[in-house]
Amino acid sequence: MSQWLPTAALGRATLVAASGLTFAVVFGSPVLLILAAPLTLFAAMGLRHMPSTTPAVQVDMDHHLLHEGQGTVSRLTLTDDEDVEHVARVYGDAPYIALQPSNGVVGQILHPSRGTATGRSAGPEIHVSPRRWGPRRPAAEKVALTTAWAAWRWGPLTLIPPSLYTLPAPTPFDATAEMPQPVGLVGAHQSRRVGNGTEFSSIRPFQSGDRLRRINWRISLRTGDLHVVSTRNEEDNAVLLVVDALADYGTSGGIDGDASSLDLSIRAAAAVAQHFGQTGDRVGLRTIGTNLQSVSFGSGARHHRILLSALARTRSGRPPQLSADRLPLHATAGTVVMIFSPLLDEAVTTLAATLLRRGLPVIVLDTLPTDADPAQREGLSADVADLAWRMRKLERATLLDALSGAGCPVITWRGPGTLDEVLRRLARRSQLPQASSR
Amino acid sequence: MSTRQHSGSSTTGTGATLKDKLSALGHGQALARAVVALMPAAALVTTAAAGTAPPAWLTLGVLVLSVGWAVYPESAVGHTVMVVVLAWWALNLRDAMTWWAVFASALLYAAHIAATLAAYGPPQIPLDGQSVRLWGKRSLFTFLAAPTIYVCARWVQEIPEPPGVWVGGLAAALFAVAVASVILGNRNPPAMDQ
């Protein structure tokens, strides 16, 4: 609980006024009255505005759910502020939070006719923008209220602003290639199965149940038997996004700066989920990190928000007793599995190989930043760390070659069109007979 | 290989150098602090025009203290600087009735107002036009007391002093000091830093 206290300005004015008056009287010198007169008036005005109310301040944000890079306004609400003339706000420095003004310091004279109807008034605003996905808490802010003539101050009070829940930024992504094995119900992808689509499949003899509008009269007249045009079915596809959050490599500078491996994974997964969700495919999510998260398959705007929320909750770290065989992926036949990973953990490569052996189309998106450096650990020299990092990258290259050799495409995420060529190759491959193991 | 946790870009560094701190000052704050740093010494030097020049060491001392006051506008250094200037006027020009006293009063008051504006918050707090206009009006209003007293003093200078006028004045001053002391006490608000 704070209270009104006299400011240094009031103390200084009072002291100088008292000294000037005393000197003037003691020395019989009117010139000192001239010197001290303005400060005497200042002190008198300050004392006259001695506050009597107990103000209350509250801080809130206009929005609590944002995307990376979006901004909101932090507002200060004052009640019982009749004695308040000036409000100063100072925001602390918090990681991945950008402020406007950039130093987080604002001050404002309150309008004399403020809040006369509601009893509340608004202080100066600060614009807040989270620069990285995940829950972001702005640092505590300090608020000071000052009376007229800057004579009395309330605070500074320390206020805790509410947290901002930050979703990954909508990254541009597009894919025009067909999905390899659409085996759903109704969708936009050409299936291998014959059905009520528009893509020509074959011309075959009429069977009971065929629709009359499908009869090809030219062939029927030539052959003497009724023939119909059969088309390929149009079905949706299941896409399973697997995000490797076992570690975060590289430097994260937020939405405007460098991207760490987890930044790339999260943003790429969000972009892919948005694209396939919009085309009617069912998208599911598994994150492998400190918190193993699972979002079941679905589509639509609401499901996309659920996916983004799950991605924003991702925390990097290795769960205890992680085993690639025991990860509950629930990927059924025909599901396209996309793994977003820096591929520096054996569990992920094992997982990709396991899925591949089951006959599922697996695409691995390499999200290791090109400028990722080895971490400097205490007690470990830079040379040793660099050597270990190079060895680790050699191991990684070997694993990538092995994965590619097994038929699992490994591609680097580069935004729109990243998946087109790979999906086309997988679609062609899916036309061939395959053997799979369970 | 272990991972690295990184923080976002910093807006204000805790280990900022003096150059960084100076560059963080806005134009308004820089101007206000310059006024705080220079005006008390100027008010002291004004006595030279009135007939008694202050010694160089005193001027330099006041200047150094004023710079400290400009850096810490809420510190008691400001009290000291102003009382020193008043004392110099009291000791050397007690009987002089000169317009330079009005000028010195303006300089001292400008330093006080500038320090008040600078102390609204941390050094980075901007001085907006609304605040400057409000304090400009207030300053003009309160400063009018100085030339008014000067004119009155010149007017009554020829009139013989009524008996007990200075004793009455002393009593009034002591009463005002006592009232202010009771109200203010020894309380000081904490500084507002980031």
Side-chain angles (χ1 to χ4, degrees):
Chain A
M1 184 65 187
S2 189
Q3 59 177 333
W4 290 107
L5 295 173
T7 61
L10 180 59
R12 186 169 58 240
T14 308
L15 177 72
V16 174
S19 306
L21 293 176
T22 308
F23 287 158
V25 170
V26 170
F27 295 111
S29 170
V31 75
L32 292 174
L33 284 180
I34 298 170
L35 288 170
L39 288 154
T40 309
L41 268 185
F42 185 101
M45 296 303 286
L47 292 172
R48 197 177 78 82
H49 284 89
M50 192 167 68
S52 57
T53 57
T54 304
V57 290
Q58 190 178 2
V59 64
D60 201 2
M61 303 275 187
D62 279 1
H63 306 89
H64 300 274
L65 185 68
L66 295 167
H67 286 275
E68 291 173 285
Q70 289 184 328
T72 186
V73 178
S74 168
R75 297 185 190 277
L76 192 74
T77 308
L78 293 92
T79 48
D80 295 330
D81 61 336
E82 290 83 1
D83 294 317
V84 180
E85 180 185 81
H86 186 272
V87 180
R89 298 179 71 185
V90 179
Y91 251 74
D93 199 14
Y96 305 115
I97 296 280
L99 303 171
Q100 178 62 35
S102 58
N103 57 17
V105 182
V106 289
Q108 181 186 311
I109 298 276
L110 296 183
H111 196 272
S113 62
R114 66 190 182 275
T116 48
T118 60
R120 290 168 170 263
S121 53
E125 299 169 354
I126 293 180
H127 294 254
V128 182
S129 174
R131 311 311 288 174
R132 197 186 184 206
W133 52 270
R136 298 275 156 237
R137 177 179 283 278
E141 74 164 302
K142 289 182 179 176
V143 177
L145 313 177
T146 314
T147 62
W149 293 87
W152 305 85
R153 179 181 294 162
W154 179 277
L157 304 168
T158 301
L159 302 178
I160 307 295
S163 287
L164 294 168
Y165 203 72
T166 313
L167 304 178
T171 310
F173 174 74
D174 190 19
T176 55
E178 284 293 313
M179 294 298 277
Q181 296 177 4
V183 288
L185 296 173
V186 179
H189 304 293
Q190 304 297 334
S191 168
R192 279 185 292 170
R193 290 187 290 199
V194 173
N196 289 325
T198 54
E199 188 76 12
F200 175 80
S201 174
S202 65
I203 293 178
R204 58 171 176 76
F206 181 86
Q207 296 172 355
S208 174
D210 282 339
R211 295 189 175 186
L212 295 181
R213 65 183 176 87
R214 296 255 182 205
I215 296 174
N216 187 318
W217 291 106
R218 186 181 298 171
I219 302 294
S220 300
L221 287 172
R222 194 185 304 158
T223 58
D225 293 322
L226 282 176
H227 279 73
V228 292
V229 175
S230 68
T231 54
R232 290 166 62 190
N233 208 359
E234 291 176 349
E235 298 177 1
D236 63 348
N237 203 94
V239 180
L240 179 64
L241 309 177
V242 180
V243 174
D244 169 9
L246 293 171
D248 191 8
Y249 298 92
T251 308
S252 176
I255 189 79
D256 312 309
D258 297 332
S260 68
S261 64
L262 197 52
D263 285 348
L264 285 172
S265 298
I266 294 290
R267 290 171 189 149
V272 171
Q274 183 176 20
H275 171 74
F276 288 112
Q278 284 175 345
T279 54
D281 291 320
R282 291 165 290 122
V283 184
L285 173 71
R286 310 285 183 269
T287 61
I288 310 169
T290 304
N291 50 345
L292 292 170
Q293 296 185 98
S294 174
V295 178
S296 57
F297 291 96
S299 61
R302 183 175 172 276
H303 184 72
H304 184 60
R305 278 199 299 275
I306 294 171
L307 285 172
L308 290 183
S309 300
L311 285 171
R313 282 195 300 271
T314 304
R315 281 183 290 145
S316 70
R318 193 177 180 84
Q321 298 175 343
L322 175 71
S323 168
D325 301 332
R326 295 184 181 179
L327 285 172
L329 292 182
H330 306 299
T332 55
T335 301
V336 178
V337 182
M338 298 185 186
I339 301 175
F340 301 83
S341 169
L343 293 166
L344 281 164
D345 197 297
E346 197 176 334
V348 178
T349 47
T350 306
L351 175 71
T354 307
L355 292 168
L356 206 62
R357 285 187 63 216
R358 286 177 52 191
L360 295 174
V362 180
I363 303 170
V364 175
L365 289 112
D366 180 7
T367 56
L368 182 69
T370 52
D371 57 350
D373 295 326
Q376 297 299 327
R377 274 193 171 177
E378 199 175 336
L380 189 68
S381 71
D383 291 342
V384 173
D386 190 53
L387 177 64
W389 180 242
R390 278 188 286 146
M391 289 174 65
R392 191 66 187 275
K393 288 178 88 170
L394 282 174
E395 287 176 6
R396 177 177 178 271
T398 309
L399 279 173
L400 293 186
D401 289 342
L403 270 179
S404 299
C408 175
V410 180
I411 51 175
T412 306
W413 175 256
R414 60 175 194 281
T418 301
L419 298 175
D420 280 348
E421 181 57 33
V422 175
L423 288 173
R424 282 194 196 98
R425 275 194 281 146
L426 286 176
R428 280 198 296 271
R429 190 194 301 169
S430 67
Q431 307 295 324
L432 305 172
Q434 295 177 26
S436 63
S437 62
R438 285 186 174 273
Chain B
M1 188 59 61
S2 62
T3 62
R4 294 199 297 178
Q5 298 295 327
H6 302 278
S7 62
S9 58
S10 171
T11 53
T12 51
T14 50
T17 62
L18 181 63
K19 190 179 174 185
D20 296 334
K21 287 180 179 175
L22 286 175
S23 61
L25 286 178
H27 293 327
Q29 278 283 343
L31 183 65
R33 287 164 194 262
V35 169
V36 175
L38 297 176
M39 292 302 116
L44 187 75
V45 171
T46 306
T47 56
T52 307
W57 61 266
L58 182 62
T59 309
L60 190 65
V62 167
L63 189 62
V64 169
L65 285 176
S66 302
V67 170
W69 183 21
V71 176
Y72 301 103
E74 287 201 280
S75 65
V77 180
H79 304 42
T80 310
V81 168
M82 297 189 86
V83 170
V84 166
V85 174
L86 276 186
W88 174 254
W89 273 84
L91 291 174
N92 296 280
L93 292 160
R94 71 180 71 164
D95 297 325
M97 181 52 65
T98 167
W99 263 106
W100 288 107
V102 179
F103 185 61
S105 175
L107 296 177
L108 273 184
Y109 196 48
H112 171 74
I113 294 294
T116 303
L117 279 168
Y120 260 140
Q124 296 88 359
I125 196 166
L127 293 184
D128 58 309
Q130 195 183 1
S131 304
V132 173
R133 280 192 299 277
L134 177 69
W135 278 102
K137 289 177 193 170
R138 283 178 178 169
S139 306
L140 279 178
F141 164 67
T142 44
F143 177 70
L144 282 178
T148 306
I149 289 180
Y150 174 78
V151 171
C152 293
R154 291 300 294 255
W155 182 56
V156 301
Q157 201 171 20
E158 306 303 325
I159 302 172
E161 287 180 9
V165 65
W166 290 110
V167 176
L170 180 63
L174 288 175
F175 179 73
V177 170
V179 169
S181 302
V182 168
I183 292 175
L184 299 179
N186 291 321
R187 299 174 296 174
N188 282 314
M192 188 176 184
D193 298 321
Q194 275 185 303

